[in-house]
Amino acid sequence: MSTQPGASRPQTADSATEDLSTTEAAVAADSLEDPELDAAAAGGRIDREAVHQALLGSWPKERLAGRRNAANPVFWRDDSLGMDAHRERVLEQSRKLVETGTPALAYPVKYGGGNTAGGNIAAFEELVLADPSLQIKGGVQWGLFGAAILHLGTEVHHDRWLREVMSLELPGAFAMTETGHGSDVASIGTTATYDPETEEFIIHTPFRGAWKDYLGNAALHGRAATVFAQLITGGVNHGVHCFFVPLRDDDGNFLPGVGGEDDGLKGGLNGIDNGRLHFTNVRIPRDYLLNRYGDVAADGTYSSPIDSPGRRFFTMLGTLVQGRVSLDGASAVAMRAATAIAVTYGNQRRQFAGGDGDEVTLLDYQRHQRRLLPEVARAYAATFAHDELLRKFHEVFQDIADTPENRADLETLAAALKPVATWQALDSLQLAREACGGAGFLAENRLVGLRADMDVYATFEGDNNVLLQLVGKRLLDDHLARLKQDAVRTVASQVGSRAYRGIGLARLGANVGDFGRFGRSVGWLRDPVHQRQLLAARVEEPIGEIAAALARVRNESKQVQRDVFNQQQHKLIMAGRAYGELLQWESFTRALDRFDPASDTHRILTALRDLYGLEVIERDLGWYLMSGRLTVQRARMVSSYLNRLVAKLRPHAQDLVAAYGYEDAHLRAKIATGAEAERQAEAAQYYEQLRASGDAPVHEKTLRSQRDRR
């Protein structure tokens, strides 16, 4: 277990409160001045190219290739199209995407692929900037349907189907979700019963709730599907397995026993032909079972390299974690796009007269700064965290560090970051839309369209609340394991005892403490050690409280224990979300080490990191006050310092979003092209010339003032 900063000695809740009280006078004396940040704000600037390179992450070549695709008008969304035409356009775009070579990046070289799991997702997620429907349709084809064959099948399946999947000669659907079961995959109703006499599996949906639903490529284009079903042989159910099932003939007609419906118009992503599928005793050959983790012999004997049915199930689903990883990255792309559009517009649009009579730039208003600059900070935090997640994913799926422990960590990290990032993206898009006023509501400025398309990100590849519950359970298991290891028999004394540092997931990167204090002599709130303690306490204390509640009923019936656990569900999910935010803060902190600590870039990005962390803390100030983690006076200082931070970061806002590296062809928002600046310049020139001409009308208020003076 690694030790995090500020965790050199355990603290009890009382000692933590005592420590806060003893430093109250010092903090009160601190005027919250920051000479280094003041100097950077006054004249320094970030090194935009260096920051740009850091934001590109570990696969800059592949990410830039993805951006070139996104900047190509061939792949752009056409807002004038209805659903049917949009679907056909996206299908044709997918075929053209094959020609670029990017869809093949994740596949083995043997089949013409690039053999780079991380590089594939880096390129793929940038397609959000072209059309989210294209990104998701590609994700269905190559990231789900094809990935299921690649990761759950064996060489015979790869040789049979992968080339056609990669070339889109074989469009496919990923048939896991059912109308009656979404996130609870283990309970799906579709069955695959083995018939030893014909050596075939019989795929069947026994009731309406077992229909496969919300499937991309199912309504029109899919010719086959990877179908998840309960494998039954010899009267024994061996749990969920994956099967290759043909759907349609070459003319697009359903094969015998296969049926379905079109899901129709959706709230977004209408370039994808989502639909429902059902099967009535559809027979497929025995070797259409994707049998990497479970096989059935000709006589019906089942075998698996993994004895435990539960571990086998989670191993199979874990191979498909890339969907969650890519959604995390696509959300970071959307956040960057939203903040680039809104900050650019806010830097050009003027509203309401200032003291000198000229109208004020929107971003000069404190409220506008408090709306947009924290979103920029979140975009940076999400970007750096995603790159670390992507590196972990690459290490596992390229067999660099593919261990059960690393796979478990990867699954938990993805389950923590995907919900946080998708919610953040939706919030950023909405805040950016509102910050741009009526202009933000126009489709031509992209914000409403992006938000509509990304709305479903919060529930597919796992409902966010369900995923965070999985994270919370992992945190709780680690907490209980640590207590058991320490031979502690009660958890009550552990509640709020120390920053959460025992989680195995801390292995993701170096300790935050490795970066020291960044050469800054600043107040308590700006100390990264204290920031981390506060963010980590928001994870550990609820987990400790849940453990205590469960300990009190450990000798009760199973039903009582379930009821008590259910009563803790909200707290568990909030702890999972806090953990995802902690991961983002830590990733941002590690990213700071790429820059010279004496540089303006480091100082400004450190302030942006502080803005991210303190804004998260401000959101939960009530909890910090009730838990005794912050005094009232220090809680007030959080908001005061945030106001100061946004004011000091305001001169750098345009540089910070420009460092993303997005061009007009990526954003395609008219209000972010400089058109507003031209309008403002035209208006200013008009009034200047009018005043100079002497023909300017006199305002009624001026006349009244003159009369009153007489």
Side-chain angles (χ1 to χ4, degrees), residues 216-528:
N217 282 344
L220 293 172
H221 302 144
R223 285 179 40 221
T226 46
V227 176
F228 287 78
Q230 306 284 352
L231 190 158
I232 300 169
T233 180
V236 177
N237 184 347
H238 292 279
V240 176
H241 288 64
C242 188
F243 302 81
F244 181 93
V245 181
L247 299 177
R248 291 182 172 90
D249 60 25
D250 292 339
D251 295 324
N253 300 310
F254 278 128
L255 296 172
V258 180
E261 296 176 351
D262 194 322
D263 278 327
L265 192 67
K266 307 181 296 292
L269 296 178
N270 282 302
I272 305 172
D273 57 321
N274 291 90
R276 308 178 182 98
L277 296 173
H278 57 86
F279 308 94
T280 303
N281 298 319
V282 174
R283 289 180 173 266
I284 60 172
R286 178 173 64 90
D287 64 358
Y288 277 29
L289 164 65
L290 302 180
N291 61 343
R292 179 177 178 182
Y293 296 107
D295 199 9
V296 174
D299 64 358
T301 303
Y302 179 84
S303 62
S304 172
I306 304 174
D307 290 334
S308 166
R311 189 159 60 88
R312 184 190 314 135
F313 170 74
F314 285 109
T315 299
M316 284 192 286
L317 262 61
T319 62
L320 305 171
V321 72
Q322 70 185 60
R324 293 170 186 170
V325 175
S326 66
L327 291 180
D328 175 62
S331 297
V333 172
M335 293 163 69
R336 295 195 296 268
T339 52
I341 292 169
V343 167
T344 300
Y345 184 66
N347 250 336
Q348 297 175 3
R349 176 65 189 269
R350 294 176 179 272
Q351 196 75 35
F352 304 110
D356 57 2
D358 291 334
E359 290 184 299
V360 179
T361 303
L362 290 183
L363 205 54
D364 286 332
Y365 289 107
Q366 184 192 68
R367 180 55 184 162
H368 218 69
Q369 296 165 10
R370 283 295 300 260
R371 293 165 90 181
L372 291 183
L373 288 173
E375 298 305 316
V376 175
R378 269 188 278 272
Y380 271 70
T383 298
F384 291 133
H386 174 67
D387 189 59
E388 292 193 350
L389 175 64
L390 200 52
R391 291 203 301 269
K392 188 79 169 180
F393 170 80
H394 185 80
E395 290 172 359
V396 168
F397 280 81
Q398 294 294 146
D399 293 325
I400 298 170
D402 185 8
T403 65
E405 185 179 60
N406 281 338
R407 280 188 176 258
D409 283 358
L410 172 62
E411 291 162 17
T412 308
L413 289 166
L417 290 174
K418 180 265 182 181
V420 170
T422 53
W423 276 330
Q424 287 172 334
L426 293 176
D427 288 345
S428 286
L429 287 161
Q430 183 64 26
L431 283 166
R433 205 294 292 160
E434 294 180 22
C436 294
F441 196 62
L442 299 178
E444 68 181 19
N445 291 317
R446 301 289 307 282
L447 296 170
V448 287
L450 278 173
R451 196 194 185 287
D453 282 338
M454 299 194 70
D455 199 344
V456 73
Y457 283 38
T459 51
F460 72 35
E461 293 299 319
D463 177 277
N464 282 354
N465 285 282
V466 174
L467 291 179
L468 289 178
Q469 180 167 289
L470 293 176
V471 175
K473 285 181 177 178
R474 170 74 189 276
L475 298 173
L476 182 62
D477 288 345
D478 282 2
H479 179 85
L480 295 174
R482 187 173 70 250
L483 292 179
K484 184 177 181 180
Q485 185 178 16
D486 294 342
V488 177
R489 298 191 178 279
T490 175
V491 299
S493 64
Q494 297 294 315
V495 174
S497 65
R498 57 190 180 277
Y500 209 94
R501 62 186 186 277
I503 307 167
L505 306 184
R507 290 186 298 274
L508 180 64
N511 295 336
V512 181
D514 294 343
F515 304 108
R517 302 293 182 91
F518 310 111
R520 300 171 64 194
S521 177
V522 293
W524 191 90
L525 286 173
R526 286 162 285 173
D527 190 322

Side-chain angles (χ1 to χ4, degrees), residues 102-119:
T102 51
L105 287 172
Y107 290 90
V109 174
K110 175 182 178 181
Y111 305 102
N115 195 36
T116 172

Side-chain angles (χ1 to χ4, degrees), residues 120-140:
N120 169 65
I121 291 181
F124 176 70
E125 62 202 20
E126 296 288 337
L127 284 174
V128 165
L129 297 171
D131 182 350
S133 286
L134 176 60
Q135 189 229 355
I136 297 303
K137 192 173 184 73
V140 169

Side-chain angles (χ1 to χ4, degrees), residues 549 560-572:
V560 170
Q561 293 180 35
R562 281 194 294 269
D563 289 344
V564 170
F565 184 80
N566 186 53
Q567 293 165 9
Q568 306 296 318
Q569 186 180 45
H570 177 72
K571 189 179 293 183
L572 189 75

Side-chain angles (χ1 to χ4, degrees), residues 585-608:
W585 182 92
E586 290 182 329
S587 297
F588 200 155
T589 299
R590 284 187 282 270
L592 294 174
D593 196 45
R594 305 176 192 181
F595 306 97
D596 178 2
S599 67
D600 288 334
T601 299
H602 190 283
R603 285 189 284 266
I604 293 165
L605 291 185
T606 298
L608 194 67

